[in-house]
Every structure is written in C-alpha cells, then in structure tokens.
C-alpha cells in the first residue's frame, strides 16, 4: 500500500470545516482499505445504514479518551478484581465485529452492515483493524474493535454479553495502547459510558493537531513509498495479575 494512493484519496475529501453541525462531511465513495486509511488519517470515519450511500463524518467536538485519565467506575473495578475476564488480542475479530453488529435492546437496526463488516475484516487482514476479546469460562463475553494507525487508535464499537465485559476489554485496550506509546484514543462520539471513564470533548482543531502528532508526517501524493504506519503484527498475551500485555515469543 503506497503513500501516494492514500494521499490522493485523502485529498478528495472536503475540508473538515465544511462538515454540517451534526458532523456529516460528505457522502459517496467506497470502503476499500486505501480510502478507509485515507479517511482515518484525516480524522474522518464512515457511519451509515443499509440502502444509503457511504456517509463520512467529522464531528466537532470530538470525543477522545486520554490514556492517562482513564478510570474504571469503582463498582466495575471491584467486580473485575473479584472476577476478572481473560483478555486476548485479535483472537476472534470476526466474532467481535458481528457481535457489535447485533441489534441492541430497543434498537431497530445497526450501522455495522455486511459491507462494513467486510471492509473492516479486510483492514484486519492487513494489520490495521484489531479486536480485544473478553472471555469467561471459554465463552466470548464481550469485546471491542477499532482501527490502529500510527500512534492513534480509533475505537469503533464494543459489546458485552456479561456484566463488565466491555469495560474489561476497554481497560485492556488502554493498557496495551499505553505500552505501545500511543498518543490518541479516539471514541468518535460522546456517550455516557465513555464520559464516566474519563472521556473528554476536543474541538475539532485540537483533535486534528493531536492526530497529526500521533500519525507523524502526512503522506503526499507524489510519494511512491510504503505507508509509515506500520501494521500491528505483534502477538500479545495478557497477564491478568499485572493487567499488562507481553509480546508472545
């Protein structure tokens, strides 16, 4: 995958300041890996429903979770100390994204439609999309997935089938990002769930500045070299006693 291809696609998006008040920036295009990486490198993400063109968003303000400010609610922390989940990285990406796509109680549909699942599974195969799984007694109890680019991680969705499982997965992700020296955990949109754990709202300009720092120098259309955003290929194992990850030998 070349700098030039991603940079040329990134240049096709309108200026972020052109987004509507609700964050909608533009529509159209496809979900091929190069376009998705181009979008994320600009702070843009897709979110739409079946039967619509691809809708691209850049909310202002932007919800992020500062890694140094993450905190579990006291009740959750106590519950996880009493009964921790086993955490893994990328062991069941397909199962996680499909579980996230399942309709929620009181909801009539999902934005994680088959085209989105296929697109993120392609990114996963390339090493840019990842999942954290929370297991209990050998059963998948919860998890999350998102996109890793440079020193940034863009959280997409999470689910749980057991109480506290999604929080356990998020805590595991935060620790892994800290260990990898990440600078940005993007949550895209504000939710009470995230705000209770340390989420903050950044004006778009501040978010973009932080994103540029996390990604390093942006690609140019003339650069015919590989992307500098090395895919995550390291296998990690989680130690529940310390809460840390170690690279598997």
């Amino acid at each position: 995958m070349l700098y030039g291809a991603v940079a040329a696609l990134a240049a096709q998006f309108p200026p972020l300041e052109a987004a509507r008040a609700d964050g909608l920036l533009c529509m159209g295009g496809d979900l091929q890996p190069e376009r998705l990486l181009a979008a994320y490198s600009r702070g843009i993400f897709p979110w739409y429903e079946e039967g619509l063109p691809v809708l691209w968003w850049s909310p202002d303000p932007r919800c992020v979770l500062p890694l140094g400010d993450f905190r579990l609610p006291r009740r959750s922390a106590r519950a996880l100390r009493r009964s921790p989940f086993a955490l893994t990285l990328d062991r069941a990406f397909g199962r996680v994204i499909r579980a996230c796509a399942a309709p929620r109680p009181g909801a009539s549909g999902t934005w994680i439609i088959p085209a989105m699942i296929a697109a993120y599974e392609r990114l996963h195969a390339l090493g840019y999309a990842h999942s954290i799984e929370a297991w209990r007694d050998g059963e998948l109890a919860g998890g999350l997935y998102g996109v890793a680019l440079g020193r940034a991680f863009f959280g997409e969705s999470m689910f749980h089938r057991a109480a506290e499982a999604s929080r356990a997965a998020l805590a595991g992700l935060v620790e892994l990002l800290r260990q990898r020296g990440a600078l940005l955990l993007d949550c895209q949109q504000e939710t009470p769930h995230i705000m209770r754990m340390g989420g903050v709202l950044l004006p778009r300009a501040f978010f973009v500045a932080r994103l540029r720092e996390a990604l390093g120098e942006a690609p140019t259309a003339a650069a015919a070299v590989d992307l500098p955003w090395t895919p995550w290929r390291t296998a990690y194992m989680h130690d529940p006693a310390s809460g840390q990850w170690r690279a598997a030998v």
Side-chain angles (χ1 to χ4, degrees):
M1 202 172 293
L2 301 180
Y3 247 11
V6 172
L9 289 168
Q12 293 179 6
F13 286 99
L16 301 187
E17 296 75 18
R20 296 187 332 193
D22 62 0
L24 179 62
L25 178 66
C26 60
M27 62 182 69
D30 55 45
L31 296 174
Q32 290 304 307
E34 294 84 357
R35 193 179 303 276
L36 282 172
L37 294 180
Y40 281 104
S41 74
R42 292 277 312 278
I44 302 164
F45 59 88
W47 184 35
Y48 69 110
E49 297 178 1
E50 194 82 66
L52 295 176
V54 183
L55 303 180
W56 301 94
W57 301 79
S58 175
D60 187 14
R62 187 75 163 246
C63 184
V64 303
L65 183 54
L67 297 175
D69 295 337
F70 172 75
R71 58 185 182 274
L72 283 169
R74 290 182 181 178
R75 181 181 298 178
S76 298
R78 287 195 299 267
L80 292 175
R81 283 195 297 270
R82 287 195 304 268
S83 184
F85 292 87
L87 301 181
T88 57
L89 171 71
D90 289 340
R91 183 173 296 179
F93 183 89
R95 291 176 63 185
V96 168
I97 192 171
R98 285 167 175 79
C100 290
R104 309 294 171 92
S108 58
T110 177
W111 59 272
I112 309 176
I113 60 177
M116 292 282 274
I117 292 174
Y120 285 88
E121 286 188 320
R122 287 192 292 267
L123 278 187
H124 175 63
L126 292 170
Y128 290 106
H130 300 276
S131 58
I132 300 283
E133 300 90 17
W135 306 84
R136 177 157 288 163
D137 299 327
E139 298 293 328
L140 184 61
L144 58 82
Y145 78 96
V147 174
L149 206 56
R151 298 170 73 186
F153 191 91
F154 306 86
E156 285 296 322
S157 187
M158 60 177 63
F159 82 99
H160 70 275
R161 293 171 179 157
E164 307 298 346
S166 61
R167 287 191 178 94
L170 181 58
L173 172 66
V174 168
E175 181 56 37
L176 180 58
L177 293 178
R178 287 171 176 165
Q179 291 180 222
R180 289 183 59 88
L183 298 177
L184 179 65
L185 173 50
D186 174 36
C187 302
Q188 299 180 347
Q189 299 190 61
E190 177 184 4
T191 67
H193 182 69
I194 292 297
M195 300 305 284
R196 282 195 296 269
M197 292 185 286
V200 298
L201 298 178
L202 291 183
R204 184 190 288 123
F206 284 47
F207 172 79
V208 170
R210 192 65 168 162
L211 176 59
R212 287 174 178 164
E213 183 183 3
L215 296 186
E217 185 177 354
T220 64
V225 296
D226 286 340
L227 289 172
W229 309 315
T230 305
W232 289 14
R233 297 295 187 189
T234 306
Y236 288 92
M237 300 188 66
H238 185 259
D239 176 15
S242 66
Q244 295 188 327
W245 300 80
R246 60 178 177 84
V249 179

